[in-house]
Structures are given as C-alpha cells and as structure tokens.
Amino acid sequence: KQEVTQIPAALSVPEGENLVLNCSFTDSAIYNLQWFRQDPGKGLTSLLLIQSSQREQTSGRLNASLDKSSGRSTLYIAASQPGDSATYLCAVNPLGAGGTSYGKLTFGQGTILTVHP
Amino acid sequence: GAGVSQSPRYKVAKRGQDVALRCDPISGHVSLFWYQQALGQGPEFLTYFQNEAQLDKSGLPSDRFFAERPEGSVSTLKIQRTQQEDSAVYLCASSLFLGLKQPQHFGDGTRLSIL
C-alpha cells in the first residue's frame, strides 16, 4: 500500500526566506506527483504536477523536483511571503495496469507553513 | 461555473440521520472523485466516476456510504445512518479525462458535523 509522508509537519519562517518542503513515498510505481495548497476552510489548489518521466517543474517562485527511484519530492519556495502561509499537500498518482492511471491520489498529511512579516 | 461547486458548505446532522452532499464538477470533465478529509489529515480517496460509471468505490468506509452520478455530470454522496466518525470535510474533484497529465480541480468541500 502506498504511503506518503511529509516533513516537516509545520514550519514557521520570516518573510523573505527560501524554504524546502519534503515529501516521500514508499512505492515508486507512480504516474505523476502533484503539489497542492490548501487555505483554511477551502479546497485544494493545484500548484505543480510532475510526470514520472520529469525531474522538476517550475512556476514562478515555486520549484518542485522528483526523484522517483528514491521515492522523494521537494517543493522549493523562493523569497517566501506572508501570502504563502497555508497547508501544502503532496499527492501521488499510482501507476495502474497497462501503464495508465485514472488519478486516484494518495496524499501526505501536509506541511503547515506560516510566513511572518 | 468556472470551478467545482459543492453544496451545502456546512451540514450539521444528528447521529442516525441520512445526509446527501452534492458536487457540480467543471463542465465537460469526465473524471470525478470524492475524498474524505479528517481534521489535520490529508484527503483520503473514497470513490471515482468516469462519466456515469462508478469504476472504483474501494475507499468507501462502509455500506452506509453511497455515491452516484446518473447523468455523468452532477454527483451526490449519500451517507445513511450517520455516525460521529463520519464527521469530516468531504471534497469533490474533477479532471478533464482519466487524470492523465491533468491536474485535479477541487471544490471547497462540505464540512459535515455529526452530533
């Protein structure tokens, strides 16, 4: 059974710092991996999606890397801002029969990020 | 609408009552997912639809949980004889087609509280 772990569980940093969030998964047979952001009382917003054949994806100040063989992904946030405060969730999309997938995601427990001015 | 819409946003029910939660996916999205998110945890998969067909219901906790998507668009998650452990946020997500290279778009969820 796929298990996804996120470290740290919570992180508090001053504005302007660069930071790294970690995600590890036990089964390397994945189709892709997705990073989400969740604000209190809200649903999930997709930040970055990395296909299993890719090593990294970038969007603005966000960069996500994937090392499938070691079962790890990192989310790098540059020059953090108070508006980045949220819970960040990592989710893996398992590889199904025939090398396809339909998107049944397995999530980590999330990292609660607080960026203070 | 532009995004996934869920209703109601909040639902309070007494133990033993039946509840129905609604999801309106993004128009044209083939895949629809239901997830359950307990407080302080990541979402957990409940069930998956491809159009009107329920292809995976392996995550439904018990036979008190039932989901349908009769016309391949709106979906309803029904919980019968609710228990306190059913209290959670229920999230609906849709994606364009089979999740292949497509991110899932989530609604804001329904927060269910069972008294």
Side-chain angles (χ1 to χ4, degrees):
Chain A
K1 176 185 174 184
Q2 177 75 267
E3 293 184 1
V4 180
T5 303
Q6 292 187 244
I7 295 173
L11 183 62
S12 181
V13 300
E15 181 177 4
E17 275 204 5
N18 302 325
L19 55 98
V20 174
L21 307 182
N22 297 290
C23 171
S24 61
F25 46 96
T26 55
D27 187 346
S28 62
I30 67 170
Y31 193 84
N32 54 40
L33 181 146
Q34 214 166 338
W35 282 94
F36 292 89
R37 168 188 173 134
Q38 186 173 32
D39 294 288
K42 296 291 187 179
L44 281 63
T45 300
S46 180
L47 298 173
L48 290 164
L49 184 150
I50 312 176
Q51 300 300 333
S52 62
S53 58
Q54 296 176 320
R55 297 286 293 181
E56 65 179 317
Q57 281 284 342
T58 297
S59 176
R61 294 182 295 107
L62 305 180
N63 175 277
S65 67
L66 174 64
D67 184 342
K68 193 176 67 168
S69 61
S70 67
R72 295 178 184 176
S73 176
T74 61
L75 179 66
Y76 175 83
I77 302 177
S80 58
Q81 304 171 357
D84 295 331
S85 298
T87 297
Y88 290 80
L89 292 153
C90 163
V92 298
N93 186 3
L95 195 61
T100 62
S101 169
Y102 64 78
K104 176 181 177 180
L105 300 178
T106 300
F107 285 85
Q109 291 187 318
T111 293
I112 302 172
L113 173 65
T114 303
V115 181
H116 47 88
Chain B
V4 178
S5 177
Q6 291 188 247
S7 60
R9 284 298 318 279
Y10 305 92
K11 177 70 177 177
V12 179
K14 293 182 180 179
R15 188 175 57 180
Q17 289 184 330
D18 298 348
V19 297
L21 312 180
R22 177 187 169 104
C23 173
D24 282 88
I26 294 173
S27 178
H29 277 198
V30 169
S31 297
L32 185 144
F33 304 82
W34 284 98
Y35 292 88
Q36 180 190 59
Q37 186 174 26
L39 188 64
Q41 304 294 314
E44 292 194 357
F45 171 83
L46 293 177
T47 188
Y48 163 68
F49 289 87
Q50 182 181 330
N51 294 309
E52 70 278 4
Q54 187 176 22
L55 298 185
D56 188 338
K57 55 182 180 179
S58 62
L60 296 178
S62 74
D63 59 7
R64 297 185 294 104
F65 287 71
F66 172 77
E68 61 182 4
R69 193 186 185 197
E71 298 179 357
S73 55
V74 171
S75 177
T76 303
L77 176 66
K78 298 179 180 178
I79 309 173
Q80 297 176 326
R81 304 182 303 283
T82 52
Q83 302 294 318
Q84 283 192 324
E85 61 262 29
D86 300 335
S87 296
V89 175
Y90 291 85
L91 295 167
C92 176
S94 69
S95 66
L96 186 59
F97 185 66
L98 287 181
L100 299 180
K101 302 184 180 181
Q102 300 290 334
Q104 292 185 21
H105 299 267
F106 282 76
D108 285 342
T110 293
R111 183 175 298 275
L112 177 64
S113 297
I114 304 300
L115 305 179

